[in-house]
Amino acid sequence: MSQSTGKIITHNDITILIPTKNEEDGIGWVIDEFKRLGYNNILVIDGHSTDRTREIAKKKGAKVVLQSGKGKGQAVAEAFKLIDTDVVVMIDGDGTYDPNDIEMVLEPIRRGIADHVIGNRLLNFEKGAFTRLNLIGNKIFNALFRFMYGVEVHDLLTGYRALTKELYKSVELEKHGFEVETELTVETIAKGFRIAEVPISYRKRRGRANLHPIRDGFHIGKTIIELLVRYNPGRYLYLLGFLSLLIGLVMGTYVVLEWRRGVSHYLMAPLTSMFIITGVNMVIFGFIMGYIFKNFAELKRMVREIKE
């Protein structure tokens, strides 16, 4: 599936996957551009659009499937079962992403250095492509992800991605909404696959946005925290341990200051010690568990490479 395995990826080895819902303003242009570039395996999986999205996509020569459920995540999971090419390239149908960036997105897979490539929009975006709220939210979620997972991802929520067959056939997607990008990223690193980022361009959306910044933002943040158990549950212990240590240190400082003023806190002193000891133990156990999970993911990656 990559040059490292002696196989060159051709246009016929790639499926362009476009999840849509009411994208009549952008879908035609997106399909036309991919067709112009020589990509003819185009699958539009539609979330019950009420406009002309499906009609336009069919007219432009794409294969159109009406998804059986609801939500972008469910659409992507369903599409992965239908697709069987060596690589799948995901892109939104609203015209915000440039199909001409596909060669940059595919390059790390062609070179055999990545199984999942993320297109980073935040390095080159058109003025007005992000609202201030969306841009701030993206930066917060990216920082939270890097802190909690220890993985250098700078555009977690991008919709322009490329995945190898081995990866997209093995991911287990449970989230049905806009959390799918987060879940795909977590599944990649949890299963020991390699991930890479490349810069892409990003422009204003054609048509009305489907994403609700507050509601969907809440679900995305919740997903980042929830999915940590798949990747490294030891990091939960880190967070709880540091929290316990912080409480213990604050209480300890208060006890010492009061003692210097001649006031003794016989009950608070042992409670302070308990918080500190518990925190230290949690951090230690978190480190051990994190080490085990990290090496387990690395072992799975090495086993795959041996099989190849």
Side-chain angles (χ1 to χ4, degrees):
M1 289 182 289
S2 65
Q3 290 181 344
S4 64
T5 60
K7 184 173 181 179
I8 297 174
I9 301 171
T10 67
H11 286 34
N12 291 331
D13 298 321
I14 298 165
T15 296
I16 308 299
L17 170 59
I18 313 176
T20 58
K21 185 174 182 181
N22 296 329
E23 312 285 7
E24 66 179 6
D25 294 319
I27 188 62
W29 176 80
V30 174
I31 295 172
D32 281 344
E33 286 299 292
F34 278 117
K35 289 277 189 179
R36 184 180 62 80
L37 293 168
Y39 293 93
N40 296 307
N41 295 330
I42 302 174
L43 172 63
V44 171
I45 184 156
D46 185 69
H48 303 270
S49 293
T50 56
D51 62 5
R52 298 173 57 248
T53 298
R54 293 192 298 277
E55 178 186 339
I56 294 171
K58 288 178 183 177
K59 185 177 180 181
K60 295 293 184 178
K63 178 181 179 181
V64 179
V65 173
L66 188 66
Q67 76 176 94
S68 60
K70 294 181 179 181
K72 185 177 181 180
Q74 192 278 332
V76 171
E78 186 173 342
F80 283 170
K81 294 177 183 178
L82 300 174
I83 299 169
D84 199 45
T85 51
D86 287 348
V87 176
V88 59
V89 172
M90 284 177 54
I91 189 170
D92 292 343
D94 56 9
T96 53
Y97 298 98
D98 189 350
N100 292 281
D101 288 335
I102 189 171
E103 294 306 319
M104 286 190 294
V105 174
L106 290 171
E107 184 61 20
I109 292 178
R110 284 201 166 109
R111 289 170 55 198
I113 62 172
D115 307 291
H116 182 173
V117 183
I118 292 174
N120 186 347
R121 307 161 294 171
L122 302 179
L123 297 175
N124 179 27
F125 57 88
E126 184 180 78
K127 185 177 180 181
F130 289 102
T131 65
R132 186 182 296 272
L133 180 60
N134 284 340
L135 190 58
I136 292 172
N138 267 276
K139 291 182 177 180
I140 290 173
F141 288 138
N142 288 319
L144 177 64
F145 187 87
R146 290 194 298 272
F147 171 73
M148 296 191 70
Y149 290 80
V151 178
E152 285 298 311
V153 172
H154 296 87
D155 193 4
L156 176 67
L157 306 180
T158 180
Y160 205 166
R161 297 165 182 261
L163 303 94
T164 62
K165 183 178 181 179
E166 188 175 10
L167 172 55
Y168 75 76
K169 287 297 186 183
S170 68
V171 294
E172 301 167 58
L173 300 179
E174 299 174 358
K175 304 295 181 180
H176 287 181
F178 285 101
E179 311 96 319
V180 62
E181 286 87 3
T182 301
E183 192 171 21
L184 276 174
T185 306
V186 173
E187 279 283 283
T188 298
I189 58 180
K191 286 180 163 58
F193 287 94
R194 300 161 301 171
I195 198 163
E197 269 188 320
V198 296
I200 59 169
S201 57
Y202 192 66
R203 62 188 72 184
K204 292 180 183 178
R205 177 187 169 88
R206 301 186 182 198
R208 195 177 69 172
N210 291 316
L211 185 141
H212 189 284
I214 303 299
R215 183 191 63 225
D216 293 315
F218 170 77
H219 288 303
I220 290 166
K222 184 167 170 278
T223 298
I224 291 174
I225 297 171
E226 284 180 349
L227 294 182
L228 190 60
V229 71
R230 290 194 204 173
Y231 173 58
N232 189 348
R235 289 184 179 269
Y236 280 127
L237 293 178
Y238 274 141
L239 296 175
L240 291 173
F242 281 121
L243 179 61
S244 183
L245 278 172
L246 179 62
I247 293 172
L249 290 172
V250 170
M251 290 177 61
T253 302
Y254 173 75
V255 169
V256 170
L257 291 175
E258 287 289 281
W259 176 77
R260 293 181 65 179
R261 292 172 53 194
V263 180
S264 299
H265 292 273
Y266 295 107
L267 293 178
M268 191 174 287
L271 185 61
T272 298
S273 300
M274 187 176 71
F275 271 112
I276 293 175
I277 293 170
T278 301
V280 169
N281 284 329
M282 280 186 170
V283 170
I284 292 172
F285 285 127
F287 175 79
I288 294 171
M289 190 178 291
Y291 181 79
I292 292 171
F293 269 77
K294 184 177 180 181
N295 279 273
F296 188 60
E298 183 67 19
L299 179 62
K300 287 191 284 187
R301 185 186 64 80
M302 291 174 64
V303 169
R304 278 197 304 273
E305 289 180 352
I306 291 172
K307 287 181 179 179
E308 291 176 0

